Amino acid sequence: MAMAVAPQHRESSSSGSLNKHLTDNGKYVRYTSEQVEALERVYAECPKPSSLRRQQLIRECPILANIEPKQIKVWFQNRRCREKQRKESSRLQTVNRKLTAMNKLLMEENDRLQKQVSQLVCENGFMQQQLQTAPAAADASCDSAVTTPQHSLRDANNPAGLLSLAEETLAEFLSKATGTAVDWVQMPGMKPGPDSVGIFAISQRCSGVAARACGLVSLEPTKLAEILKDRQSWFRDCRNLEVFTVFPAGNGGTIELLYSQIYAPTTLAPARDFWTLRYTINLENGSLVVCERSLSGSGAGPNAAAAAQFVRAEMLPSGYLIRPCEGGGSIIHIVDHLNLQAWSVPEVLRPLYESSKAVAQKVTITALRHVRQIAHETSGEVVYGLGRQPAVLRTFSQRLSRGFNDAINGFNDDGWSLMNSDGAEDVIIAVNTTKNLISANNPAHSLSFLGGILCAKASMLLQNVPPAVLVRFLREHRSEWADFSVDAYSAASLKAGSYAYPGMRSMRFTGSQIIMPLGHTIEQEELLEVIRLEGHSFAQEDAFVSRDIHLLQICSGIDENAVGACSELVFAPIDEMFPDDAPLLPSGFRVIPLESKTKDAQEALTTNRTLDLTSSLEVGPVTNHASVDGSSCHLRSVLTIAFQFPFESNLQDNVATMARQYVRSVISSVQRVATAISPSGLNPALGPKLSAGSPEALTLAHWICQSYWQVLPQVSSCYHLGAELLRSDSVGGDSVLKHLWHHPDAILCCSLEALPVFIFANQAGLDMLETTLVALQDITLDKIFDESGRKALFTDFAKLMQQANNGFACLPAGICMSTMGRNVSYEQAVSWKVLAAEENTVHCIAFSFVNWSFL
């Protein structure tokens, strides 16, 4: 057949209105144009007709009456072969264009690396020369280096000054995109090749954190720039992007002043905002550049009230270099260079804000993936479920992510406010009475009858739990952590005449969970799907009525071998009709991996089990605790949970109680799952963790108070903590924990180790250290004192350890430091041993700082 095809192809290309086909006998059969047209019509409907269909074709088409069935069979065989050759030729041409473009990128990267090597050789020679030079000359060279003039600030209100700043930004950006201004190294796990997304690199040594990407995209430069400039359409963490000023630059370019807001990924850190200049210009070589940098020293930007919940971050020269590619498409270079002000977050989260890899995963790779996804959809090769258009499904994904981020951050200007706590700070309850689930396109789908939205959220520190494995388990085994009646309550709130509080109608979950895929991205790093939970009512009158629940869900980061910023499972109840403008109330989980800890920090850990934010207290005698081997690295991540519940005004308190209890139940289930999927190398001697508000937490509060009461007669001469508050028999039940939590003195507990680590603090203690309970896990006792304070502390600490169980130590007035570096003064302090009452063994050491204040 292959031999028959080749000569036929040569003939057909020059046959004019006739078509020649080789038969099995080696003779050519000539077809008229009318015969070819009739055969082509049948081929369009059925490329491989059966013998009966071919005979039917001869009977129905008189112009084919003189053609034998075997000859028609050969025609269809040759036609299919030509179609296959055409597709293969087109595929090879596409691969060739891609390889040519990738080769060009690799050659440019090779040139850049050669320049970088030459620069490093020169620097090495200069350093050797400096070492051989006299000390005086070295001092002079150092002085001259220090006095090197820096870039002067420009007046953002002066167009001429802005144009000068824009040109500087352009030059600095190009030097990063194609030059050696930044010491780039290949990003781990992202090898370049014809099937890769692109070439990715991260900064090795530079101010801030930076990432770079190069790739080939089948879109024109102007279309690419339009997509990437609309940051909210592809960057899920972008809450707001507002263009304040636009004016022409005079050289064909455009200058814009932008204000943007970026969501915080977890409840433990504040959100970020940027005040930037963006410069768009076409270069002489045909390239299109969009570059951006932060404005400073201008005093411009939004008012302070609008940015009160944000930390102002800095964008160093960044942007996009887009070059047209021969044969269509574009070659794009992306650079993201940021200073995220890591000092403003708890120490446990700082690796996330100081990691160039995290910036690459969250911003740079996401941008390149998004434009490749758009190009893929534009080509018409994408097929999605339920007849939905790609843009509609992408909008659903964006709405789910945005709603989940809104719930985590709880901005005041969106109407969110915190409710009073029950004394256990593990779950944060926020309420929004101004936000209803309203469908802008269809008022019939609006939920205006609701009193508001309530959100229960919490965060957990996980160790030795692979994020992808955890989220994949939560997705596939919903019954292990979810309560069907709560799902039913949320789903019923989407329907008119729904019952207002869970428990008013009992439901039974059959255990069946059906996942119906809607679509996925090119590399399947994100899945969009509909979940159907099968349920039935317990009520006899509704016994045969289906109570199925439908959830719209996105799941990302469940491939352990993929490179991603986090793993997420976000879902929202939907009506079974699933309209395009359906109101959504997202809830879910987000697991963010953190960088591995250093050896010194490893020695400060007391466990590698799953930790709850407010339950970092060990149960049982300290002799059972095993420290982690500091020479090994352990995977750490932060899990953030947020669940939203609609409510009617008269049931706000009831729904708040239900939400708090439900999230605590979910936390407990996730801890159990995390323990089960952790590597088998965990120490079996490690005791269980406490959940805030649990009987174990209350027991520990009693231990702290009772231990203090035993030493009170000795301590009272130098210190009085307030026995009427701390004496456990003076109050009953949960009040002990509440009184301890709200006590005005800073009360902290640390472990008994060579390097003591804080494991608990009341609210005043957290305020004094300017930290959170999750970050408390990483703070060692010596970090809050200076050198002289540490010497005095260790002397008293050693004496305390040598005393009997009712021993104590009084510290004179002094100064300590918060985790943010601020000095804190205190009038006096006392430390004592906390005893586990049952075993009468030392559990930890407690400290109380009296009348503390910031200097």
Side-chain angles (χ1 to χ4, degrees):
M1 181 59 65
M3 294 177 63
V5 170
Q8 178 276 326
H9 180 73
R10 290 195 298 269
E11 290 286 341
S12 63
S13 62
S14 59
S15 60
S17 62
L18 297 178
N19 231 349
K20 296 180 180 180
H21 285 264
L22 193 65
T23 66
D24 292 345
N25 298 327
K27 296 181 180 180
Y28 283 106
V29 176
R30 294 179 179 273
Y31 295 89
T32 65
S33 60
E34 290 80 6
Q35 290 174 331
V36 172
E37 184 178 351
L39 292 171
E40 287 287 353
R41 284 198 299 269
V42 176
Y43 181 84
E45 298 175 359
C46 179
K48 194 173 183 180
S50 64
S51 176
L52 293 176
R53 180 71 180 92
R54 292 195 300 269
Q55 293 176 2
Q56 181 185 1
L57 175 63
I58 294 175
R59 289 194 301 270
E60 292 177 353
C61 298
I63 59 175
L64 299 176
N66 61 337
I67 307 295
E68 296 181 4
K70 181 181 290 187
Q71 294 172 343
I72 292 181
K73 176 181 178 181
V74 172
W75 186 94
F76 276 98
Q77 288 175 342
N78 291 340
R79 181 65 178 82
R80 290 194 299 270
C81 190
R82 288 202 307 274
E83 182 70 16
K84 184 177 180 180
Q85 287 180 335
R86 186 190 64 80
K87 291 182 178 179
E88 180 66 12
S89 176
S90 176
R91 187 189 69 82
L92 291 175
Q93 289 177 2
T94 301
V95 172
N96 182 63
R97 285 197 303 269
K98 188 171 183 179
L99 288 173
T100 302
M102 292 296 295
N103 181 62
K104 184 177 180 181
L105 283 176
L106 290 172
M107 292 176 63
E108 292 176 353
E109 183 70 5
N110 184 57
D111 291 341
R112 187 193 65 80
L113 291 174
Q114 288 182 352
K115 293 178 182 178
Q116 187 173 344
V117 168
S118 300
Q119 182 177 342
L120 292 173
V121 169
C122 293
E123 291 178 359
N124 183 54
F126 176 76
M127 292 298 297
Q128 290 181 348
Q129 195 176 40
Q130 288 288 338
L131 292 174
Q132 296 171 1
T133 309
D139 292 341
S141 65
C142 292
D143 292 340
S144 64
V146 171
T147 57
T148 300
Q150 302 295 320
H151 291 290
S152 59
L153 294 175
R154 300 291 189 271
D155 184 1
N157 298 317
N158 182 358
L162 283 177
L163 179 58
S164 176
L165 183 61
E167 293 293 343
E168 286 185 10
T169 304
L170 173 63
E172 292 184 40
F173 162 68
L174 291 176
S175 67
K176 297 175 184 178
T178 60
T180 59
V182 173
D183 185 8
W184 299 111
V185 296
Q186 181 178 311
M187 184 173 173
M190 302 293 288
K191 295 182 179 180
D195 296 325
S196 66
V197 180
I199 302 173
F200 299 97
I202 56 178
S203 60
Q204 191 173 28
R205 292 183 300 271
C206 73
S207 173
V209 288
R212 189 189 67 163
C214 311
L216 175 65
V217 182
S218 302
L219 293 174
E220 296 304 314
T222 52
K223 180 64 175 178
L224 266 178
E226 178 186 347
I227 295 173
L228 292 173
K229 289 174 73 172
D230 184 11
R231 198 171 298 153
Q232 283 184 285
S233 69
W234 59 267
F235 185 30
R236 300 282 177 84
D237 287 350
C238 183
R239 181 195 183 219
N240 182 39
L241 178 65
E242 186 174 356
V243 179
F244 272 71
T245 306
V246 181
F247 58 88
N251 55 1
T254 302
I255 295 178
E256 302 166 281
L257 300 185
L258 310 177
Y259 175 68
S260 57
Q261 297 173 340
I262 308 299
Y263 288 110
T266 175
T267 60
L268 305 174
R272 298 305 192 256
D273 65 352
F274 295 88
W275 174 242
T276 58
L277 174 147
R278 185 166 68 188
Y279 184 36
T280 305
I281 187 171
N282 287 288
L283 302 182
E284 295 180 355
N285 61 6
S287 301
L288 176 60
V289 175
V290 180
C291 55
E292 189 173 353
R293 76 175 302 165
S294 285
L295 293 173
S296 59
S298 63
N303 56 51
Q309 289 185 273
F310 297 86
V311 172
R312 179 63 55 87
E314 180 184 8
M315 179 183 295
L316 289 82
S318 307
Y320 318 105
L321 169 61
I322 309 171
R323 297 183 294 177
C325 185
E326 296 180 6
S330 306
I331 296 176
I332 182 172
H333 297 252
I334 304 176
V335 173
D336 292 295
H337 194 174
L338 306 172
N339 181 357
L340 297 174
Q341 311 298 336
W343 57 266
S344 62
V345 302
E347 187 172 354
V348 70
L349 292 180
R350 289 181 188 175
L352 184 64
Y353 288 77
E354 296 172 343
S355 169
S356 294
K357 183 178 178 181
V359 172
Q361 293 169 339
K362 181 175 291 188
V363 188
T364 316
I365 297 177
T366 300
L368 189 53
R369 279 176 171 166
H370 179 76
V371 292
R372 291 184 74 247
Q373 179 72 28
I374 297 295
H376 194 56
E377 294 172 0
T378 305
S379 68
E381 300 177 5
V382 182
V383 179
Y384 288 104
L386 301 183
R388 305 282 175 165
Q389 293 297 320
V392 174
L393 298 180
R394 192 164 54 248
T395 300
F396 273 124
S397 299
Q398 292 169 349
R399 289 175 59 196
L400 284 172
S401 294
R402 184 177 182 86
F404 187 57
N405 279 323
D406 282 334
I408 291 175
N409 287 261
F411 294 111
N412 294 335
D413 57 358
D414 279 343
W416 290 100
S417 60
L418 297 180
M419 291 186 65
N420 292 331
S421 170
D422 64 353
E425 303 296 323
D426 58 333
V427 178
I428 301 172
I429 302 294
V431 64
N432 192 332
T433 57
T434 65
K435 182 178 181 180
N436 290 326
L437 294 181
I438 297 176
S439 173
N441 298 329
N442 190 350
H445 294 154
S446 301
L447 302 183
S448 56
F449 67 89
L450 297 176
I453 308 297
L454 187 142
C455 178
K457 49 192 174 182
S459 295
M460 300 169 63
L461 176 64
L462 303 177
Q463 299 202 130
N464 280 351
V465 180
V469 177
L470 176 60
V471 171
R472 187 165 63 244
F473 184 92
L474 296 176
R475 170 179 176 260
E476 297 173 355
H477 303 277
R478 186 179 183 89
S479 60
E480 293 293 328
W481 56 268
D483 186 331
F484 186 81
S485 63
V486 175
D487 289 332
Y489 163 70
S490 298
S493 300
L494 298 176
K495 302 177 182 179
S498 64
Y499 57 94
Y501 185 66
M504 294 183 65
R505 180 175 295 180
S506 300
M507 304 290 290
R508 176 174 60 89
F509 178 48
T510 63
S512 176
Q513 171 181 297
I514 301 175
I515 299 178
M516 297 175 284
L518 288 178
H520 56 78
T521 52
I522 300 177
E523 300 170 46
Q524 299 196 17
E525 71 275 3
E526 182 178 285
L527 308 175
L528 179 65
E529 51 203 13
V530 172
I531 310 299
R532 190 178 76 189
L533 306 176
E534 296 183 346
H536 299 278
S537 174
F538 278 127
Q540 185 174 1
E541 64 273 15
D542 295 334
F544 299 100
V545 178
S546 173
R547 297 293 176 182
D548 292 353
I549 296 172
H550 294 82
L551 304 173
L552 181 65
Q553 178 173 281
I554 55 172
C555 183
S556 61
I558 59 174
D559 184 357
E560 296 177 77
N561 299 319
V563 177
C566 64
S567 299
E568 282 187 341
L569 183 68
V570 180
F571 49 86
I574 57 171
D575 186 85
E576 58 188 8
M577 300 304 295
F578 189 20
D580 291 349
D581 55 353
L584 300 178
L585 195 63
S587 304
F589 308 86
R590 173 180 291 156
V591 189
I592 307 173
L594 303 174
E595 295 291 334
S596 298
K597 299 176 65 64
T598 62
K599 181 177 179 180
D600 290 340
Q602 281 288 339
E603 293 173 351
L605 291 176
T606 59
T607 177
N608 60 354
R609 287 280 299 272
T610 302
L611 301 177
D612 185 284
L613 281 185
T614 58
S615 59
S616 54
L617 310 176
E618 296 287 345
V619 177
V622 77
T623 55
N624 288 340
H625 298 171
S627 61
V628 176
D629 181 7
S631 62
S632 61
C633 291
H634 296 272
L635 175 65
R636 300 195 308 163
S637 55
V638 172
L639 167 64
T640 298
I641 303 173
F643 283 80
Q644 298 190 78
F645 304 91
F647 66 88
E648 295 187 3
S649 300
N650 60 330
L651 292 171
Q652 176 177 327
D653 292 338
N654 292 338
V655 175
T657 301
M658 178 272 295
R660 182 180 287 110
Q661 293 174 350
Y662 180 59
V663 170
R664 284 177 179 165
S665 172
V666 171
I667 290 174
S668 178
S669 299
V670 171
Q671 286 178 320
R672 184 179 66 253
V673 170
T675 302
I677 65 178
S678 294
S680 58
L682 294 177
N683 190 335
L686 295 175
K689 300 296 174 182
L690 301 179
S691 296
S694 66
E696 292 84 0
L698 181 60
T699 298
L700 184 64
H702 279 280
W703 288 355
I704 295 173
C705 299
Q706 289 173 352
S707 299
Y708 171 75
W709 190 252
Q710 293 181 17
V711 302
L712 180 62
Q714 307 171 64
V715 180
S716 58
S717 59
C718 65
Y719 172 77
H720 184 65
L721 186 61
E724 68 281 358
L725 288 179
L726 281 182
R727 187 172 184 180
S728 59
D729 57 1
S730 63
V731 291
D734 295 344
S735 299
V736 174
L737 182 58
K738 292 182 180 181
H739 283 301
L740 182 66
W741 181 261
H742 295 293
H743 198 278
D745 293 342
I747 303 173
L748 304 99
C749 296
C750 67
S751 60
L752 287 177
E753 297 178 288
L755 190 60
V757 182
F758 286 113
I759 60 174
F760 173 76
N762 67 350
Q763 186 62 62
L766 297 178
D767 293 341
M768 185 184 78
L769 295 183
E770 294 186 290
T771 187
T772 63
L773 281 170
V774 67
L776 202 67
Q777 311 296 317
D778 281 354
I779 303 175
T780 55
L781 182 60
D782 63 309
K783 285 185 179 181
I784 69 171
F785 293 99
D786 57 16
E787 188 63 30
S788 59
R790 278 193 288 268
K791 291 180 180 179
L793 172 68
F794 290 155
T795 300
D796 293 332
F797 196 82
K799 293 180 180 178
L800 174 63
M801 297 305 299
Q802 294 173 1
Q803 296 179 17
N805 285 347
N806 60 348
F808 72 97
C810 288
L811 303 177
I815 295 177
C816 61
M817 289 183 295
S818 74
T819 57
M820 299 301 180
R822 290 208 290 173
N823 290 331
V824 181
S825 65
Y826 55 90
E827 290 185 3
Q828 53 185 189
V830 67
S831 62
W832 69 95
K833 297 178 181 179
V834 176
L835 306 179
E838 293 79 3
E839 295 90 357
N840 198 29
T841 56
V842 179
H843 179 74
C844 60
I845 299 296
F847 289 85
S848 182
F849 296 84
V850 183
N851 294 333
W852 63 272
S853 62
F854 290 109
L855 296 179

